[in-house]
Amino acid sequence: MIHLDSLALAAMAAALSAGCSGSDAAPQLTTRSALPTLASLPDENPDPGALEVSMRAETATKQYPGADPTEVWAYAGTVPGPLLEAKVGTELTVHFSNALPEATTIHWHGVRLPAAMDGTMLMQDAIQPGQGFEYSFTLKDAGLFWFHPHVRSDVQVEKGLHGAILVRGKDEPTVDHETVLVLDDVRVNPDGTFPEFLDDASKMMGREGNVLLVNGASGPEIPMQSGALERLRFVNVANGRFFNLRLEGHTLRVIGTDGGLVEQPWDTDTLLIAPGERYDVVLIPIGEPGASITLWNDPYSRGHGTTAAAPEALAAVRLADSVAPTVRSLPSAFPAVEKLPAPPGDVPVVLGEKFDDKGEVVFTINGQAYPNVPVVQTAKGSVRTLAVKNDSDMDHPFHLHGFFFQRQSDTGTLKNKDTIIVKAHESMALTARFDEPGKWVYHCHILEHAEGGMIGELDVQ
Ligand code: C2O
Ligand code: CU
């Protein structure tokens, strides 16, 4: 393992923070736009147990603040892509067509499905321009999931290809309003183009944008009502940015995460969400009718001396002119999550970084970069524990396709996760039941890290 030169890294870190707060930063907004409603697609199947949609990936134009119009890549013409909403148990069919100038696939992040539908190139050929593919699978779990390409994901997701899937179960709390919030950032040049080449800091840390976005808008107003029970469903679709949320003067109650509701909700003043993760929170906002409450993105250092700048205003909650008519209370318990057995970690997954002979940073698993990472074989139905160890100086959001995992010795309530922050030099035991055959991947969800080698393969037979 080559040790990284700390001076070079400090310089990269400085460049990274300068890039985020310096001259190419987005101008401060004086007026706020309303939170965009996520698009939806018409259901082509009258069967209430089925959701069948047609969706095309295509180029579109989007206006980011402080820049000329940008050519984006979009599902159904919108960034973010459409929100797919269904009940648990629904058979989802997506007639997908690729009108992009390059090949793509769709990966259904967090959804437990047959491997052939997972959208990795281990299981399907990339869908060429002008071609299509029919994705079809049952939505087995309630929760907020999302979809994005698994080909050149660092480029394709950044260009706008991502959308959310909201699956409702039978234990949903009764709330006054529920809002899906897609958190993102993009790096756009003043002429509206995306930078063609990554600077060293972005290669090292994953690219962070100069425009922060909530449902595709910069600094929007999220409508809420004082005294009402509000439910917010967050997904972070950014390439590299971690969002560390804080709603001025309010505590958030976390009721669920990637794999659905948790038995014991917990309260927090800040909510850290890495790329790929989801959180489900409730709150009862309190304030004067009409008041505006800032949703901050607080500094968080994810390693290599990236001292983040000051808090940034991500959005504002705008309270309605009326208050909720009756007293609400926050939900405090949900049905128990089934606990997996906890065998010792016998699948080593060491996350590392090194420089190759050309001086380019390479991200590794067990010392190798994909596709040279040795394949993990496991029997169908086996319960195995990944001994994940972060051997690098920065956090990596570890993501497993196709299965939820549970962190052994997790503090607090049991959680089904598919993406988890493994902090710099942290180790953790993650247990999953590999009950679906096929070839799967696991990887860091900083997309520049995944594309830079931090992907491993898992073969369940
Ligand atoms: Cu959302 Cu393989 O990733
Ligand atoms: Cu990483």
Side-chain angles (χ1 to χ4, degrees):
M1 168 104 201
I2 297 165
H3 279 277
L4 300 173
D5 178 317
S6 58
L7 277 179
L9 289 169
M12 279 178 198
L16 184 73
S17 22
C20 296
S21 55
S23 56
D24 62 345
Q28 268 312 112
L29 296 177
T30 47
T31 52
R32 293 187 175 278
S33 58
L35 179 75
T37 309
L38 298 170
S40 60
L41 294 173
D43 185 358
E44 297 161 10
N45 192 327
D47 178 348
L51 173 61
E52 188 170 343
V53 298
S54 295
M55 188 169 78
R56 188 166 59 213
E58 59 204 347
T59 58
T61 304
K62 192 170 168 75
Q63 179 72 59
Y64 291 116
D68 293 345
T70 297
E71 187 191 282
V72 292
W73 289 4
Y75 291 126
T78 67
V79 177
L83 173 66
L84 305 179
E85 288 186 77
K87 294 194 304 292
V88 76
T90 299
E91 182 71 27
L92 173 65
T93 302
V94 178
H95 303 284
F96 175 66
S97 55
N98 180 11
L100 300 170
E102 71 179 41
T104 193
T105 60
I106 306 180
H107 166 57
W108 311 89
H109 182 123
V111 178
R112 294 190 305 132
L113 39 54
M117 293 292 136
D118 193 46
T120 67
M121 285 194 290
L122 298 176
M123 297 299 294
Q124 77 167 114
D125 293 332
I127 305 154
Q128 297 301 318
Q131 303 294 301
F133 190 83
E134 186 179 302
Y135 288 99
S136 187
F137 46 87
T138 303
L139 297 166
K140 295 195 255 191
D141 303 293
L144 181 67
F145 306 97
W146 64 296
F147 54 95
H148 62 78
H150 228 276
V151 176
R152 293 219 306 148
S153 62
D154 55 337
V155 172
Q156 295 197 0
V157 178
E158 172 76 2
K159 279 179 176 284
L161 294 171
H162 49 76
I165 312 175
L166 184 57
V167 186
R168 295 199 169 80
K170 57 179 183 356
D171 302 310
E172 305 293 339
T174 305
V175 297
D176 293 299
H177 310 109
E178 180 180 36
T179 311
V180 175
L181 297 169
V182 178
L183 308 179
D184 193 11
D185 67 345
V186 285
R187 177 165 284 259
V188 277
N189 295 320
D191 68 359
T193 58
F194 292 114
E196 210 170 317
F197 299 103
L198 289 187
D199 52 79
D200 287 346
S202 302
K203 280 185 198 161
M204 174 58 74
M205 301 304 295
R207 102 187 67 186
E208 291 199 353
N210 52 355
V211 181
L212 302 184
L213 299 166
V214 181
N215 290 2
S218 171
E221 271 186 351
I222 304 167
M224 289 193 198
Q225 192 179 21
S226 186
L229 184 50
E230 303 278 351
R231 183 179 188 186
L232 302 176
R233 319 287 301 259
F234 293 102
V235 53
N236 181 353
V237 306
N239 280 38
R241 182 181 295 270
F242 288 37
F243 286 90
N244 193 19
L245 305 180
R246 174 172 52 89
L247 182 62
E248 185 101 51
H250 288 76
T251 295
L252 305 173
R253 176 161 297 182
V254 181
I255 60 169
T257 176
D258 308 346
L261 295 167
V262 293
E263 182 177 357
Q264 291 294 324
W266 73 93
D267 291 343
T268 184
D269 292 332
T270 58
L271 185 64
L272 179 65
I273 313 179
E277 284 191 300
R278 287 86 68 210
Y279 279 95
D280 186 353
V281 307
V282 289
L283 75 149
I284 299 171
I286 300 296
E288 292 295 317
S292 174
I293 306 165
T294 304
L295 178 64
W296 294 101
N297 182 31
D298 271 356
Y300 173 76
S301 175
R302 55 193 178 86
H304 276 319
T306 48
T307 35
E312 292 176 277
L314 177 62
V317 166
R318 168 69 70 181
L319 296 180
D321 289 329
S322 60
V323 292
T326 56
V327 175
R328 307 287 199 256
S329 58
L330 294 172
S332 56
F334 293 100
V337 171
E338 185 211 336
K339 186 171 174 23
L340 293 173
D346 64 347
V347 182
V349 177
V350 179
L351 308 174
E353 60 196 27
K354 61 185 184 189
F355 287 108
D356 67 12
D357 337 325
K358 292 188 224 73
E360 292 288 328
V361 64
V362 177
F363 298 95
T364 59
I365 293 178
N366 297 332
Q368 301 292 327
Y370 187 80
N372 298 324
V373 179
V375 178
V376 175
Q377 311 272 357
T378 196
K380 179 176 177 243
S382 59
V383 176
R384 299 284 295 274
T385 299
L386 311 179
V388 182
K389 177 168 192 273
N390 184 344
D391 217 3
S392 75
D393 292 333
M394 67 179 130
D395 298 4
H396 296 287
F398 175 85
H399 172 48
L400 173 64
H401 281 214
F403 311 93
F404 296 133
F405 53 73
Q406 296 176 351
R407 180 180 177 178
Q408 291 182 15
S409 74
D410 193 3
T411 51
T413 190
L414 191 62
K415 305 168 193 77
N416 278 330
K417 295 278 290 169
D418 54 62
T419 309
I420 193 167
I421 299 172
V422 188
K423 295 194 167 147
H425 299 288
E426 188 180 30
S427 294
M428 59 179 68
L430 304 177
T431 304
R433 178 184 287 129
F434 296 101
D435 50 6
E436 192 65 48
K439 293 185 197 303
W440 305 92
V441 294
Y442 57 92
H443 59 87
C444 176
H445 219 289
I446 292 176
L447 298 174
E448 288 74 15
H449 293 180
E451 298 293 338
M454 201 177 269
I455 302 183
E457 190 181 323
L458 188 86
D459 190 5
V460 181
Q461 296 301 340

